[in-house]
PDB file of all heavy atoms in Angstrom:
ATOM      1  N   TYR A 367      87.507 -40.510  23.900  1.00 95.00           N
ATOM      2  CA  TYR A 367      87.582 -39.061  23.722  1.00 95.00           C
ATOM      3  C   TYR A 367      87.375 -38.331  25.048  1.00 95.00           C
ATOM      4  O   TYR A 367      86.924 -38.932  26.027  1.00 95.00           O
ATOM      5  CB  TYR A 367      86.574 -38.574  22.675  1.00 95.00           C
ATOM      6  CG  TYR A 367      85.121 -38.748  23.050  1.00 95.00           C
ATOM      7  CD1 TYR A 367      84.431 -37.772  23.761  1.00 95.00           C
ATOM      8  CD2 TYR A 367      84.424 -39.884  22.660  1.00 95.00           C
ATOM      9  CE1 TYR A 367      83.094 -37.916  24.083  1.00 95.00           C
ATOM     10  CE2 TYR A 367      83.087 -40.053  22.985  1.00 95.00           C
ATOM     11  CZ  TYR A 367      82.432 -39.060  23.687  1.00 95.00           C
ATOM     12  OH  TYR A 367      81.114 -39.215  24.020  1.00 95.00           O
ATOM     13  N   LEU A 368      87.743 -37.060  25.048  1.00 96.00           N
ATOM     14  CA  LEU A 368      87.488 -36.224  26.224  1.00 96.00           C
ATOM     15  C   LEU A 368      86.860 -34.911  25.793  1.00 96.00           C
ATOM     16  O   LEU A 368      87.073 -34.467  24.671  1.00 96.00           O
ATOM     17  CB  LEU A 368      88.736 -35.819  26.962  1.00 96.00           C
ATOM     18  CG  LEU A 368      90.071 -36.436  27.025  1.00 96.00           C
ATOM     19  CD1 LEU A 368      91.063 -35.669  26.234  1.00 96.00           C
ATOM     20  CD2 LEU A 368      90.435 -36.445  28.476  1.00 96.00           C
ATOM     21  N   SER A 369      86.133 -34.325  26.731  1.00 97.00           N
ATOM     22  CA  SER A 369      85.649 -32.968  26.534  1.00 97.00           C
ATOM     23  C   SER A 369      86.155 -32.175  27.732  1.00 97.00           C
ATOM     24  O   SER A 369      85.867 -32.528  28.878  1.00 97.00           O
ATOM     25  CB  SER A 369      84.119 -32.980  26.476  1.00 97.00           C
ATOM     26  OG  SER A 369      83.646 -31.667  26.357  1.00 97.00           O
ATOM     27  N   VAL A 370      86.937 -31.112  27.454  1.00 98.00           N
ATOM     28  CA  VAL A 370      87.598 -30.384  28.553  1.00 98.00           C
ATOM     29  C   VAL A 370      87.395 -28.882  28.383  1.00 98.00           C
ATOM     30  O   VAL A 370      87.147 -28.407  27.273  1.00 98.00           O
ATOM     31  CB  VAL A 370      89.129 -30.675  28.584  1.00 98.00           C
ATOM     32  CG1 VAL A 370      89.401 -32.146  28.730  1.00 98.00           C
ATOM     33  CG2 VAL A 370      89.833 -30.118  27.362  1.00 98.00           C
ATOM     34  N   PRO A 371      87.525 -28.102  29.474  1.00 97.00           N
ATOM     35  CA  PRO A 371      87.434 -26.654  29.323  1.00 97.00           C
ATOM     36  C   PRO A 371      88.633 -26.111  28.550  1.00 97.00           C
ATOM     37  O   PRO A 371      89.720 -26.704  28.563  1.00 97.00           O
ATOM     38  CB  PRO A 371      87.421 -26.139  30.766  1.00 97.00           C
ATOM     39  CG  PRO A 371      87.864 -27.250  31.614  1.00 97.00           C
ATOM     40  CD  PRO A 371      87.629 -28.522  30.881  1.00 97.00           C
ATOM     41  N   GLU A 372      88.400 -24.996  27.892  1.00 97.00           N
ATOM     42  CA  GLU A 372      89.410 -24.423  27.001  1.00 97.00           C
ATOM     43  C   GLU A 372      90.756 -24.194  27.692  1.00 97.00           C
ATOM     44  O   GLU A 372      91.806 -24.357  27.085  1.00 97.00           O
ATOM     45  CB  GLU A 372      88.883 -23.097  26.453  1.00 97.00           C
ATOM     46  CG  GLU A 372      89.384 -22.852  25.063  1.00 97.00           C
ATOM     47  CD  GLU A 372      88.550 -21.833  24.323  1.00 97.00           C
ATOM     48  OE1 GLU A 372      87.410 -21.561  24.736  1.00 97.00           O
ATOM     49  OE2 GLU A 372      89.081 -21.321  23.334  1.00 97.00           O
ATOM     50  N   ARG A 373      90.706 -23.853  29.007  1.00 96.00           N
ATOM     51  CA  ARG A 373      91.959 -23.477  29.671  1.00 96.00           C
ATOM     52  C   ARG A 373      92.977 -24.612  29.781  1.00 96.00           C
ATOM     53  O   ARG A 373      94.132 -24.358  30.092  1.00 96.00           O
ATOM     54  CB  ARG A 373      91.684 -22.882  31.056  1.00 96.00           C
ATOM     55  CG  ARG A 373      90.997 -23.814  32.040  1.00 96.00           C
ATOM     56  CD  ARG A 373      90.595 -23.031  33.281  1.00 96.00           C
ATOM     57  NE  ARG A 373      89.683 -23.777  34.110  1.00 96.00           N
ATOM     58  CZ  ARG A 373      89.923 -24.101  35.368  1.00 96.00           C
ATOM     59  NH1 ARG A 373      91.067 -23.775  35.930  1.00 96.00           N
ATOM     60  NH2 ARG A 373      89.022 -24.753  36.057  1.00 96.00           N
ATOM     61  N   ILE A 374      92.556 -25.867  29.527  1.00 97.00           N
ATOM     62  CA  ILE A 374      93.576 -26.933  29.561  1.00 97.00           C
ATOM     63  C   ILE A 374      93.784 -27.592  28.186  1.00 97.00           C
ATOM     64  O   ILE A 374      94.487 -28.592  28.066  1.00 97.00           O
ATOM     65  CB  ILE A 374      93.293 -28.012  30.636  1.00 97.00           C
ATOM     66  CG1 ILE A 374      91.937 -28.695  30.445  1.00 97.00           C
ATOM     67  CG2 ILE A 374      93.437 -27.447  32.034  1.00 97.00           C
ATOM     68  CD1 ILE A 374      91.829 -29.997  31.232  1.00 97.00           C
ATOM     69  N   ILE A 375      93.161 -27.019  27.157  1.00 97.00           N
ATOM     70  CA  ILE A 375      93.278 -27.595  25.811  1.00 97.00           C
ATOM     71  C   ILE A 375      94.739 -27.732  25.364  1.00 97.00           C
ATOM     72  O   ILE A 375      95.141 -28.750  24.823  1.00 97.00           O
ATOM     73  CB  ILE A 375      92.500 -26.738  24.777  1.00 97.00           C
ATOM     74  CG1 ILE A 375      90.990 -26.922  24.962  1.00 97.00           C
ATOM     75  CG2 ILE A 375      92.923 -27.060  23.350  1.00 97.00           C
ATOM     76  CD1 ILE A 375      90.372 -28.059  24.221  1.00 97.00           C
ATOM     77  N   ASP A 376      95.556 -26.701  25.632  1.00 97.00           N
ATOM     78  CA  ASP A 376      96.949 -26.735  25.158  1.00 97.00           C
ATOM     79  C   ASP A 376      97.712 -27.908  25.767  1.00 97.00           C
ATOM     80  O   ASP A 376      98.466 -28.602  25.087  1.00 97.00           O
ATOM     81  CB  ASP A 376      97.674 -25.422  25.492  1.00 97.00           C
ATOM     82  CG  ASP A 376      97.235 -24.312  24.566  1.00 97.00           C
ATOM     83  OD1 ASP A 376      96.566 -24.631  23.555  1.00 97.00           O
ATOM     84  OD2 ASP A 376      97.545 -23.142  24.856  1.00 97.00           O
ATOM     85  N   LYS A 377      97.482 -28.125  27.080  1.00 97.00           N
ATOM     86  CA  LYS A 377      98.165 -29.240  27.757  1.00 97.00           C
ATOM     87  C   LYS A 377      97.708 -30.577  27.175  1.00 97.00           C
ATOM     88  O   LYS A 377      98.515 -31.476  26.927  1.00 97.00           O
ATOM     89  CB  LYS A 377      97.820 -29.216  29.256  1.00 97.00           C
ATOM     90  CG  LYS A 377      98.771 -28.408  30.070  1.00 97.00           C
ATOM     91  CD  LYS A 377      98.591 -28.753  31.533  1.00 97.00           C
ATOM     92  CE  LYS A 377      99.595 -27.986  32.366  1.00 97.00           C
ATOM     93  NZ  LYS A 377      99.327 -28.095  33.783  1.00 97.00           N
ATOM     94  N   ILE A 378      96.398 -30.698  26.971  1.00 97.00           N
ATOM     95  CA  ILE A 378      95.844 -31.951  26.434  1.00 97.00           C
ATOM     96  C   ILE A 378      96.410 -32.195  25.026  1.00 97.00           C
ATOM     97  O   ILE A 378      96.828 -33.311  24.683  1.00 97.00           O
ATOM     98  CB  ILE A 378      94.291 -31.870  26.375  1.00 97.00           C
ATOM     99  CG1 ILE A 378      93.704 -31.713  27.781  1.00 97.00           C
ATOM    100  CG2 ILE A 378      93.692 -33.058  25.631  1.00 97.00           C
ATOM    101  CD1 ILE A 378      93.572 -32.956  28.600  1.00 97.00           C
ATOM    102  N   ASP A 379      96.452 -31.140  24.243  1.00 96.00           N
ATOM    103  CA  ASP A 379      96.951 -31.223  22.866  1.00 96.00           C
ATOM    104  C   ASP A 379      98.408 -31.705  22.879  1.00 96.00           C
ATOM    105  O   ASP A 379      98.798 -32.614  22.147  1.00 96.00           O
ATOM    106  CB  ASP A 379      96.815 -29.838  22.222  1.00 96.00           C
ATOM    107  CG  ASP A 379      97.216 -29.867  20.766  1.00 96.00           C
ATOM    108  OD1 ASP A 379      97.002 -30.917  20.137  1.00 96.00           O
ATOM    109  OD2 ASP A 379      97.760 -28.859  20.272  1.00 96.00           O
TER     110      ASP A 379
END
Side-chain angles (χ1 to χ4, degrees):
Y367 66 88
L368 336 106
S369 177
V370 302
E372 213 161 342
R373 61 189 167 121
I374 58 164
I375 288 272
D376 285 348
K377 270 196 177 170
I378 297 279
D379 184 32

